[in-house]
Amino acid sequence: MGLRKFVDKIKPTFSEGGKLSFLHSTFEGFETFLFVPNTTTAKGAHIRDCNDIKRVMIVVVLALIPTMLFGMYNVGYQAQLSGCPELADAGVMALFWYGFLKVLPTIIVSYVVGLGIEFTFAQKRKHEINEGFLVTGLLIPLVMPVSTPLWIVALSTAFAVIIGKEVFGGTGMNVFNPALLARAFAFFAYTPQMSGEKVWYTVDGQTGATALEQLSTYEAGAELPYSLSDAFFGFMPGSVGETSTCAILIGAAILLFTGVASWRIMLSVFVGGLAFGYLFDVAGMTEFPAYYHLLVGGFAFGAVFMATDPVTSAQTNTGKWIYGFMVGALAILIRVVNPAYPEGMMLSILFMNALAPLIDYFVVERNIARRKKLIKNVK
Amino acid sequence: MKLSKNFTNPLAANNPVIVQILGICSALAVTVKLEPALVMGLSVTFVCAFSNLIMSLLRKGLPSRIRIIVQLVVIATLVIVVDQFLRAYMYEVSKQLSVYVGLIITNCIVMGRVEAFALGNKPWDSFVDGVANGLGYAFILVLVAFFRELLGSGTLFGIDILNRFGYVGNSLMLFPPMALIIIGCIIWVHRSLNKDLQEK
């Protein structure tokens, strides 16, 4: 308990009247990060639960670990496939280590920039530091291609945290998912670096298209560029975290078991995607089967980790079904119909984020109307 | 109201774009490059100043029920003068601005100043008010265009500033949404500097 004593010892310095009282928020943030706070909420409605925001966020981070680890291994594996001479006969661990070193800088940059901004704002506004960024900071490197230059990562993280979150009032008040906003910023601001033929390079000087990009130029009758098992386990190029549907499903199981994410949204996104996939398949607009859509690109990752964000998704149960279905359906619609954007998941989730409050409004209104009618009938 | 205050007020404390949130539409459309933004700002200043002057001269003998029609005729005439002038002497810029010169007619700032100020004040005061509001609008346009051109294409007035240092252009800056975000940031800074503008 040496740490507890130490924290207690330095506490007065940061409390009101202490020498470093202007750093109170920072101190408070670290203290509650280390220990469960022993204070109780004084007023207002509150729920009695051992899980505060910090613990909920940690569960999401845990759920992200499998995809992150697999993503790192896959970076090494793809580098080996593309003929990197030093990896010619490397083992699993060597490949993982290679990918680890490639991905780690992105994670560090995203955390340092994002947390730096969050801490500054919290200090300025004399708020407590919120934990939302623990998840966002890990999501950002996972939705970026591994080759993204670090300054683009830093810039888009800063944009997402300031414009996407702080101007709306910080964690819990944001309209759009910050991690996706970071990706959207990078995608629209630096399109040549983020999409197209050149995006995937793990070895300096080598470029290639992501799996989705290859699919968008796929012609009927040819063999699918990646077999079903490769697509499911994730042995294909793509953003770090998005390739392995298998690892994402492990994360989904953790989220659902702990009740952190909504199963309604997750399920309805897949249903919506599958339904529209079949629709386009029947209409003859796509050449490959509908379920293949769910395996390649960021569809599964978006469905499990992005669409279920409790802040930006719909809040009512009926609203969640509509929201999720639309996310899946729009993602496939953009993929199939719009040749300019091979990946539709990011745009469809951001779009539905904007519509989520409207959906909730109509669901609530409808419920009120229904119950009014009920009262009338009883009379 | 004192003349000097009459002039400085619309430039900062009561700026038509960032305080009254008028004229946003053209501010999004013409601010990709500095040159068209500057020309657009000066055109609006011209139209705003002279429509204020003319309407102020006419205000005594003008029946209230036809005043909107008269205002439209005056403003439209001035806009056509500006449009023809730009086509004659600055054809390239006029092509970039395209319909937005003609749309000065619908710019809320012009009609707003005529309605709110010129119809109740003396000609010279109205003229100064028109110039000041036009310049307040032009200032914001130029500010937004400065950031968009510098960060989007790395140039200012078409002259290379950042590209020689290996700067990579931010193409999001060239899209209209970014103009809206920049205006939002200007409003943010402006409000945190002027405490009396903040809502309680």
Side-chain angles (χ1 to χ4, degrees):
Chain A
M1 287 306 282
L3 192 59
R4 178 75 255 183
K5 272 190 192 142
F6 174 71
V7 171
D8 283 339
K9 208 179 106 195
I10 60 168
K11 200 168 187 172
T13 331
F14 293 97
S15 309
E16 223 168 296
K19 254 189 223 160
L20 295 173
S21 60
F22 66 95
L23 284 176
H24 177 72
S25 308
T26 312
F27 175 77
E28 211 270 335
F30 277 112
E31 193 197 355
T32 51
F33 184 77
L34 293 168
F35 297 103
V36 175
N38 57 358
T39 52
T40 46
T41 314
K43 56 182 177 181
H46 51 276
I47 300 168
R48 202 181 155 86
D49 197 343
C50 59
N51 281 330
D52 57 357
I53 303 181
K54 273 197 178 84
R55 311 299 163 226
V56 169
M57 293 300 178
I58 286 296
V59 169
V60 184
V61 172
L62 281 180
L64 279 168
I65 297 286
T67 51
M68 186 185 75
L69 293 181
F70 181 83
M72 286 169 172
Y73 166 72
N74 190 41
V75 168
Y77 177 71
Q78 294 298 330
Q80 189 185 35
L81 277 193
S82 66
C84 176
E86 53 195 292
L87 290 174
D89 41 29
V92 172
M93 276 321 284
L95 292 180
F96 173 77
W97 184 245
Y98 179 86
F100 179 75
L101 290 182
K102 286 270 177 193
V103 178
L104 191 64
T106 331
I107 298 181
I108 293 175
V109 165
S110 127
Y111 268 120
V112 168
V113 172
L115 285 179
I117 295 171
E118 288 247 332
F119 275 49
T120 318
F121 269 92
Q123 294 288 7
K124 272 246 177 230
R125 293 175 169 169
K126 303 203 180 352
H127 285 176
E128 284 176 28
I129 285 161
N130 279 305
E131 295 69 30
F133 197 77
L134 285 183
V135 174
T136 312
L138 191 57
L139 280 175
I140 290 174
L142 292 184
V143 293
M144 299 272 189
V146 68
S147 57
T148 318
L150 290 181
W151 60 271
I152 291 186
V153 176
L155 208 60
S156 24
T157 308
F159 177 86
V161 174
I162 296 176
I163 302 292
K165 214 156 119 182
E166 293 303 337
V167 296
F168 291 106
T171 306
M173 314 290 277
N174 44 323
V175 181
F176 297 107
N177 185 322
L180 271 185
L181 209 59
R183 197 195 142 82
F185 176 86
F187 181 80
F188 285 109
Y190 301 102
T191 316
Q193 284 90 339
M194 290 294 291
S195 67
E197 301 277 297
K198 290 189 186 157
V199 60
W200 182 262
Y201 59 91
T202 49
V203 190
D204 293 336
Q206 287 240 14
T207 61
T210 61
L212 259 187
E213 209 90 35
Q214 295 170 14
L215 274 181
S216 68
T217 51
Y218 166 79
E219 286 185 23
E223 206 167 305
L224 290 167
Y226 297 97
S227 72
L228 262 188
S229 76
D230 272 3
F232 180 73
F233 289 107
F235 297 106
M236 55 186 176
S239 298
V240 178
E242 73 178 16
T243 55
S244 169
T245 310
C246 176
I248 292 167
L249 286 182
I250 297 174
I254 297 176
L255 289 181
L256 292 180
F257 179 71
T258 52
V260 169
S262 155
W263 62 271
R264 289 185 180 85
I265 295 180
M266 248 185 241
L267 186 67
S268 55
V269 173
F270 282 113
V271 169
L274 215 51
F276 263 59
Y278 272 116
L279 199 68
F280 285 122
D281 202 13
V282 169
M285 290 171 77
T286 51
E287 274 77 29
F288 45 93
Y291 53 83
Y292 204 71
H293 267 298
L294 310 189
L295 298 178
V296 294
F299 192 95
F301 192 83
V304 171
F305 294 110
M306 299 292 198
T308 54
D309 175 1
V311 178
T312 54
S313 63
Q315 307 292 324
T316 51
N317 280 347
T318 322
K320 280 175 182 166
W321 285 110
I322 302 171
Y323 165 89
F325 186 86
M326 291 294 286
V327 166
L330 279 176
I332 303 300
L333 185 74
I334 297 173
R335 273 188 190 183
V336 173
V337 177
N338 189 339
Y341 301 122
E343 176 56 294
M345 204 55 187
M346 167 183 87
L347 296 169
S348 79
I349 294 178
L350 284 176
F351 185 64
M352 289 315 291
N353 280 171
L355 289 189
L358 189 70
I359 296 174
D360 278 340
Y361 173 80
F362 281 120
V363 169
V364 170
E365 285 293 299
R366 212 174 143 228
N367 201 27
I368 292 173
R370 190 177 58 85
R371 300 188 79 159
K372 265 189 187 154
K373 217 165 134 194
L374 219 63
I375 296 172
K376 222 187 245 168
N377 287 348
V378 170
K379 276 178 191 170
Chain B
M1 201 191 284
K2 273 180 70 182
L3 202 60
S4 62
K5 190 141 186 262
N6 193 357
F7 184 74
T8 53
N9 211 19
L11 289 183
N14 198 13
N15 188 292
V17 183
I18 60 174
V19 178
Q20 299 171 16
I21 321 289
L22 296 175
I24 295 291
C25 169
S26 53
L28 302 189
V30 301
T31 50
V32 178
K33 295 252 181 294
L34 259 176
E35 198 184 2
L38 186 65
V39 171
M40 181 72 180
L42 293 179
S43 309
V44 170
T45 310
F46 172 82
V47 173
C48 201
F50 282 94
S51 62
N52 260 12
L53 179 68
I54 294 169
M55 287 314 295
S56 180
L57 287 170
L58 289 176
R59 73 183 192 280
K60 292 264 165 70
L62 189 66
S64 155
R65 62 165 69 162
I66 60 159
R67 70 178 196 286
I68 299 280
I69 295 174
V70 178
Q71 283 165 19
L72 276 178
V73 170
V74 170
I75 296 169
T77 313
L78 288 166
V79 169
I80 289 169
V81 170
V82 170
D83 195 22
Q84 294 301 321
F85 177 85
L86 291 182
R87 278 184 201 200
Y89 294 101
M90 308 170 92
Y91 187 62
E92 284 303 311
V93 178
S94 143
K95 257 202 322 203
Q96 283 178 36
L97 287 174
S98 64
V99 295
Y100 290 98
V101 177
L103 284 176
I104 296 177
I105 300 173
T106 60
N107 194 320
C108 315
I109 300 170
V110 180
M111 194 94 129
R113 289 330 288 175
V114 170
E115 275 281 299
F117 197 91
L119 289 178
N121 284 286
K122 289 183 183 148
W124 176 240
D125 285 344
S126 304
F127 184 73
V128 170
D129 181 79
V131 172
N133 274 286
L135 288 181
Y137 171 81
F139 174 64
I140 299 300
L141 246 65
V142 168
L143 200 62
V144 174
F146 172 81
F147 286 116
R148 284 183 76 187
E149 187 174 351
L150 186 68
L151 300 176
S153 357
T155 58
L156 286 178
F157 286 111
I159 301 162
D160 179 16
I161 303 284
L162 289 176
N163 288 336
R164 66 182 74 179
F165 304 117
Y167 177 78
V168 183
N170 184 331
S171 50
L172 191 63
M173 281 285 172
L174 306 176
F175 294 133
M178 210 57 196
L180 195 64
I181 290 175
I182 293 176
I183 292 179
C185 291
I186 296 174
I187 293 174
W188 185 5
V189 172
H190 189 245
R191 288 201 168 206
S192 37
L193 293 179
N194 296 280
K195 294 273 184 259
D196 54 317
L197 285 177
Q198 294 172 6
E199 287 91 358
K200 289 281 143 33

